[in-house]
Amino acid sequence: MGGGNQPARVSLVQIPGKEELRQKNLFSVSDCKMYWQNSGEYLAVQVDRYTKTKKSTYTGFELFRIKERDIPIEVLELENKNDKIIAFAWEPKGHRFAIIHGDGPKPDVSFYTMRTSNNTSRVSKLTTLKAKQANTLYWSPAGRFIVLAGLKGFNGQLEFYNVDELETMATGEHFMATDIMWDPTGRYLATAVTSVHEMENGFQIWSFSGKHLYKVSKDHFYQFIWRPRPPSLLTAEKEEEISRNLKKYSKKYEQEDQDAFNQLSEQDRKRRTQLQEEWDSWVAKWKQMHEEERAYRRELRDGEASDDEEEYEAKEVEVEEVVDVRQEVLAFDLDQE
């Protein structure tokens, strides 16, 4: 309020008791936006502040660690504080977030983590991707993968990015795309052009890694929605335990898969052996029959052996054939002198 002259206040309040758990005063504030991580572990407050001259603004972030003691707050500022923030998105059930920022026609995309390599609670930057045709961010519901999408002015540019490996898996385009939806498993992505455009209506399906799988064109297409996935029967603690011991479980199931594969391989080997034996038996049968008829073939060819197909003599013979005969009849008028 008051053009930034009055301090702003961000408060974290527990409901329904209305107990204030954490608060922070912010100065020279023009605007605030808040982004919750879907598990409630983190809160990011995007703060637009006035410069000293009050002629422009710059942006920073206040990052709340909700699950930690006393709810510590970290301040994050971009390397270029004057960059415009175009999009912000938390990784679902994770500790990373992505920001699209910049003033040019192709902004940058930066990735940050709330944990360092030794698992200490400190925000740090993972990487910055320069000059991307993107203005929206779409994390997979399972985390790890993200789609950098360029909608509206970018005409449906798509980049499928692996944040674990910090590498681009694939790029694609759905011209004039208006909507992007991950399926609940995080295995597939749908892009759609709805009836806000008169042309190109329909949807396309992609794999999580950016492989184009399916396309449907449909006039007057209004909405695409995935079938909801039923909630897990496991508790959050059990899911975390499975995740921690995944390698141990993987060895068990990999051995079971290998045993099943070996069994199938043995069955396949026996089948191939049987087919080979049947083929060899068939060939031997006809070779025997061919040998038994050798004398008969010689007799049919006036004593000439013709089994060796390479022993032959080529002769060129010209044959004339009458294909048509025409007759002309002359008629005379006997009454004329």
Side-chain angles (χ1 to χ4, degrees):
M1 297 175 61
N5 294 320
Q6 296 184 27
R9 180 184 177 94
V10 175
S11 297
L12 188 67
V13 179
Q14 187 180 54
I15 300 296
K18 297 184 180 179
E19 178 188 355
E20 187 176 73
L21 304 178
R22 192 74 161 88
Q23 63 84 22
K24 185 171 183 179
N25 291 328
L26 306 171
F27 299 92
S28 301
V29 175
S30 167
D31 190 22
C32 280
K33 295 183 177 68
M34 298 188 184
Y35 305 95
W36 278 101
Q37 186 247 19
N38 72 333
S39 299
E41 295 184 32
Y42 307 107
L43 170 66
V45 180
Q46 177 183 323
V47 184
D48 299 333
R49 289 184 169 92
Y50 290 106
T51 58
K52 291 182 178 180
T53 62
K54 299 292 181 72
K55 293 182 179 180
S56 60
T57 60
Y58 63 96
T59 302
F61 291 89
E62 307 284 332
L63 303 172
F64 292 70
R65 298 177 181 272
I66 306 301
K67 301 294 184 181
E68 296 185 19
R69 183 178 179 180
D70 297 329
I71 311 179
I73 303 172
E74 282 187 83
V75 177
L76 172 67
E77 292 185 348
L78 302 181
E79 293 177 2
N80 184 355
K81 293 193 298 184
N82 296 321
D83 273 1
K84 178 183 177 183
I85 304 300
I86 299 170
F88 179 101
W90 285 103
E91 177 186 25
K93 301 177 184 178
H95 54 86
R96 295 173 291 198
F97 58 91
I99 305 174
I100 302 179
H101 56 93
D103 295 315
K106 291 185 178 181
D108 298 339
V109 182
S110 294
F111 293 92
Y112 293 83
T113 177
M114 298 293 284
R115 301 175 187 169
T116 57
S117 57
N118 56 4
N119 207 31
T120 57
S121 297
R122 184 176 180 182
V123 65
S124 60
K125 187 170 77 170
L126 296 172
T127 189
T128 294
L129 310 178
K130 297 289 186 180
K132 291 297 179 179
Q133 291 183 303
N135 52 20
T136 49
L137 299 163
Y138 295 92
W139 281 96
S140 163
R144 182 179 178 185
F145 305 113
I146 190 173
V147 171
L148 316 178
L151 305 182
K152 297 181 179 179
F154 288 123
N155 287 327
Q157 298 295 320
L158 305 171
E159 181 170 342
F160 295 79
Y161 193 76
N162 183 339
V163 185
D164 279 1
E165 304 297 332
L166 299 179
E167 63 180 11
T168 298
M169 298 180 292
T171 57
E173 179 184 16
H174 186 173
F175 183 62
M176 298 175 68
T178 57
D179 298 88
I180 296 179
M181 296 77 50
W182 280 96
D183 90 300
T185 68
R187 296 175 61 195
Y188 302 103
L189 180 88
T191 56
V193 180
T194 59
S195 57
V196 296
H197 293 303
E198 295 181 359
M199 302 170 58
E200 304 290 338
N201 283 193
F203 66 91
Q204 298 184 27
I205 305 294
W206 311 73
S207 72
F208 72 93
S209 59
K211 181 180 179 181
H212 188 262
L213 302 175
Y214 192 59
K215 178 180 180 180
V216 172
S217 298
K218 191 176 290 291
D219 292 337
H220 308 295
F221 186 75
Y222 289 98
Q223 185 183 23
F224 181 104
I225 188 167
W226 287 100
R227 177 185 177 183
R229 186 171 176 84
S232 174
L233 299 176
L234 302 175
T235 63
E237 292 76 14
K238 187 62 177 177
E239 288 185 355
E240 185 177 353
E241 187 225 328
I242 292 174
S243 179
R244 285 198 312 267
N245 300 311
L246 189 59
K247 290 185 178 180
K248 181 178 72 174
Y249 291 123
S250 295
K251 289 181 180 179
K252 173 187 174 183
Y253 294 119
E254 283 172 3
Q255 185 59 48
E256 291 181 1
D257 289 343
Q258 186 63 42
D259 293 342
F261 176 77
N262 292 339
Q263 184 177 359
L264 290 174
S265 297
E266 180 63 20
Q267 293 173 355
D268 186 60
R269 187 190 65 78
K270 290 180 179 179
R271 185 180 64 84
R272 289 176 175 274
T273 300
Q274 180 182 355
L275 290 174
Q276 183 66 44
E277 290 174 352
E278 291 175 357
W279 167 255
D280 292 342
S281 175
W282 186 86
V283 171
K285 171 187 172 183
W286 285 100
K287 282 185 176 180
Q288 181 181 356
M289 188 179 297
H290 183 268
E291 186 64 29
E292 291 173 352
E293 294 176 348
R294 181 187 298 273
Y296 181 57
R297 291 197 301 276
R298 183 185 291 270
E299 180 182 342
L300 291 175
R301 291 170 174 77
D302 297 328
E304 292 290 337
S306 61
D307 286 355
D308 192 345
E309 296 180 354
E310 295 182 357
E311 294 182 1
Y312 64 90
E313 181 180 353
K315 293 183 180 180
E316 187 175 328
V317 179
E318 293 184 4
V319 177
E320 294 184 359
E321 181 180 354
V322 177
V323 296
D324 192 15
V325 176
R326 296 186 180 182
Q327 295 181 349
E328 294 184 2
V329 179
L330 300 178
F332 297 93
D333 191 346
L334 299 178
D335 294 334
Q336 293 183 359
E337 294 181 358

